[in-house]
Amino acid sequence: MKKIVFTLLIFCCGISLSQAQQTIGNYKGDESKLYAETKQFTQFIKRFNNEEDRNGQPYSTGSYKYRENNYRKKYLEILFDGENTSISKQMKKNFIDEITNKKSPKYIEKHQGGYFAEVSTRFLYKGKNTDVTLYMQLEQDSLGYKWSISDVYSKQLQGLFENNDPKKNFLHPMSHEIDFMNLHRAFGDKDEIEDYAYKGHEIDYISILFYLLKTGDLKFVTVTNVRFHIFQIENWYFTVEKFERDSYNSGWLISSLMPLKPTDIETMRRYVLHKK
Amino acid sequence: MKTAKYLSVLFLCLIGLQVFAQDATKEEPPMPPARKAAIDSLALEKVHDLSKYISKIGDKETSFSEANRVIERALELFVEDAQMGVSTLGKKQIKYFGIRKYLERLNKLNYKSVNIDWFDIQYISDLEKQPDGRYVGVITIYQKFTGVTEDGLVYKDVTKKDITIYVERKTTQIGGREIGFWDVLLGDIRVSETKKG
């Protein structure tokens, strides 16, 4: 009887393995590093939450392995950039202990916001290389989801609006009686033009980007880097970046980590977005 | 009395409609695993076809007219306007080529022979529904490319390919009956050269 059960078990394992490995080639090189690599940001989330096995095959949501804490701890250990010494062992331990706490485990939920992508790009602005950072958020639209540009930062473009002159220009309160003819003077000095906007006015860099693209002054060249800023895990902030290395510690990994009180999230978010 | 009854039924229907409208914007359940597995297989088959075509296009033994025919076949695997983004290890910049241009460049490389081997490892993401209702996913695969030039020089590299796949529900008429099926097309591909082979 035992023999039959054993044979059946082997048979079942064989079936599940053959289903998991949909081979498309026959290359028999060392693939261990490729298995170790966190190949997509999607896989980073699945490993972070322990939603798939070592071969990248998803666990069904009903499986006891799905989001299982002990496996999860092992995965989390390998999800850090091993070459980054600024993340101390203690901090890493505190983070892992907190998010794998049996009573209140914390997971990354793909569609619940609380994270955004920072995409470093290169444009040609009037023929010169210009670095532009696009901040992208995943948002629901119609039948599905899409990534949208939520903010823009560029040292060169922002530099156009840096006005360090302490003298503030204004249109005097009787300007209406002279048909605002002093606008002529206001628009004559392009370096200080923003003085004339209403109090609290913020420059909309997305519109500037679109305008420059439409006029042809700005031309997209390439993406140079992608980084994710994760604010979704309560009391923590961390970034995830891709490391292409010929080693077991490669792919999408946690590149920085810091404790963050919920009350400080907005300050941190504004810091990341280069807002004052 | 009848009017009051009619109005109350209409009112309940309107509430029902409103609830339905709210439900429609809620998240849909993920695709059943069996269907997802079938779509993954179909997508991998298309990736495999592409690799066969690439070998053929890059091979000098292939005549010009045959290469052109194969390029057209390869393009049938893709959605319109798909691009190939190519990056090399240590360089940040990605170069973008339309698929046709990429294949034509490959044809002009004039290798005496081209061999493409695939690693067993591959990673297939979940399928996400995009605003137009089509599903989109990414397959990550690793490939070893070996090209031998006329002078006997051997060029080898290992590349990682992140291939976008689009999945769409389509219908066709067979014997007067409308039959539904899932169609998979390839989209943008990001290629990164990870190391010399």
Side-chain angles (χ1 to χ4, degrees), chain A residues 16-25 35 55 57-58, chain B residues 33-45 48 118-124 139 141:
Chain A
S16 67
L17 266 178
S18 66
Q19 281 170 341
Q21 300 273 324
Q22 299 175 57
T23 306
I24 56 168
Y35 277 103
N55 296 333
Q57 298 302 314
Chain B
R35 183 176 297 157
K36 164 87 166 62
I39 289 171
D40 289 349
S41 290
L42 186 56
L44 284 173
E45 224 171 87
H48 191 223
W118 300 84
F119 290 87
D120 278 339
I121 172 74
Q122 62 219 229
Y123 189 79
I124 308 175
I139 297 181
I141 51 161

Side-chain angles (χ1 to χ4, degrees), chain A:
Chain A
M1 185 62 190
K2 264 187 183 174
K3 255 186 179 177
I4 295 171
V5 171
F6 183 70
T7 317
L8 269 173
L9 264 176
I10 291 190
F11 180 63
C12 290
C13 289
I15 287 178
S16 67
L17 266 178
S18 66
Q19 281 170 341
Q21 300 273 324
Q22 299 175 57
T23 306
I24 56 168
N26 53 5
Y27 185 75
K28 297 293 174 208
D30 177 18
E31 299 183 352
S32 55
K33 282 179 190 166
L34 306 181
Y35 277 103
E37 182 181 336
T38 308
K39 291 162 275 295
Q40 297 178 11
F41 182 66
T42 304
Q43 186 173 36
F44 173 86
I45 296 177
K46 284 181 177 268
R47 286 183 162 181
F48 188 94
N49 294 344
N50 195 60
E51 293 173 357
E52 63 173 38
D53 68 16
R54 284 179 171 201
N55 296 333
Q57 298 302 314
Y59 294 131
S60 70
T61 46
S63 161
Y64 78 94
K65 289 177 183 166
Y66 183 81
R67 296 193 169 185
E68 197 276 331
N69 242 352
N70 291 328
Y71 280 109
R72 193 171 172 222
K73 279 183 183 172
K74 280 178 196 159
Y75 261 147
L76 285 163
E77 288 284 350
I78 61 159
L79 287 183
F80 287 86
D81 167 21
E83 293 181 11
N84 184 349
T85 49
S86 71
I87 307 174
S88 69
K89 274 187 180 174
Q90 190 57 48
M91 194 194 289
K92 210 186 282 185
K93 186 182 176 306
N94 292 347
F95 177 70
I96 294 174
D97 285 349
E98 198 176 319
I99 62 173
T100 57
N101 182 300
K102 278 183 184 168
K103 284 180 185 164
S104 59
K106 289 168 183 149
Y107 304 101
I108 298 178
E109 306 290 353
K110 213 192 299 180
H111 296 136
Q112 282 184 9
Y115 69 96
F116 58 86
E118 175 187 337
V119 183
S120 304
T121 61
R122 181 157 302 144
F123 282 80
L124 282 178
Y125 176 51
K126 294 185 175 173
K128 284 184 182 169
N129 273 336
T130 303
D131 293 328
V132 176
T133 308
L134 304 176
Y135 297 94
M136 317 287 290
Q137 65 182 29
L138 195 62
E139 67 177 19
Q140 195 166 12
D141 181 11
S142 192
L143 297 171
Y145 284 84
K146 62 179 187 182
W147 282 100
S148 305
I149 300 171
S150 59
D151 219 317
V152 175
Y153 173 78
S154 163
K155 212 173 171 183
Q156 282 94 330
L157 296 183
Q158 255 86 336
L160 292 173
F161 298 93
E162 268 175 19
N163 179 359
N164 297 321
D165 193 342
K167 181 183 72 154
K168 290 290 167 201
N169 300 286
F170 54 82
L171 295 171
H172 66 71
M174 294 306 282
S175 304
H176 57 292
E177 303 297 5
I178 53 167
D179 291 345
F180 292 99
M181 65 174 282
N182 43 358
L183 276 172
H184 183 76
R185 195 178 301 113
F187 290 135
D189 189 355
K190 61 180 189 303
D191 290 337
E192 294 170 359
I193 187 67
E194 53 272 34
D195 283 356
Y196 296 93
Y198 66 91
K199 213 184 283 178
H201 163 257
E202 279 199 47
I203 290 160
D204 174 7
Y205 288 102
I206 296 181
S207 300
I208 293 173
L209 180 89
F210 291 165
Y211 172 76
L212 291 173
L213 282 163
K214 278 175 187 280
T215 57
D217 287 337
L218 198 64
K219 285 190 173 71
F220 177 73
V221 180
T222 190
V223 169
T224 53
N225 195 43
V226 177
R227 176 191 293 159
F228 290 90
H229 297 269
I230 319 283
F231 291 91
Q232 206 190 76
I233 303 294
E234 202 184 341
N235 298 321
W236 293 94
Y237 157 75
F238 61 96
T239 54
V240 179
E241 279 175 84
K242 186 161 63 177
F243 297 89
E244 281 183 1
R245 302 170 177 143
D246 188 13
S247 88
Y248 287 91
N249 184 235
S250 65
W252 290 96
L253 301 168
I254 295 175
S255 53
S256 71
L257 172 71
M258 63 181 278
L260 188 73
K261 288 180 196 154
T263 48
D264 294 333
I265 289 177
E266 189 49 26
T267 313
M268 189 64 197
R269 203 183 63 84
R270 286 188 72 83
Y271 172 76
V272 171
L273 297 173
H274 298 269
K275 304 271 185 206
K276 282 178 186 164

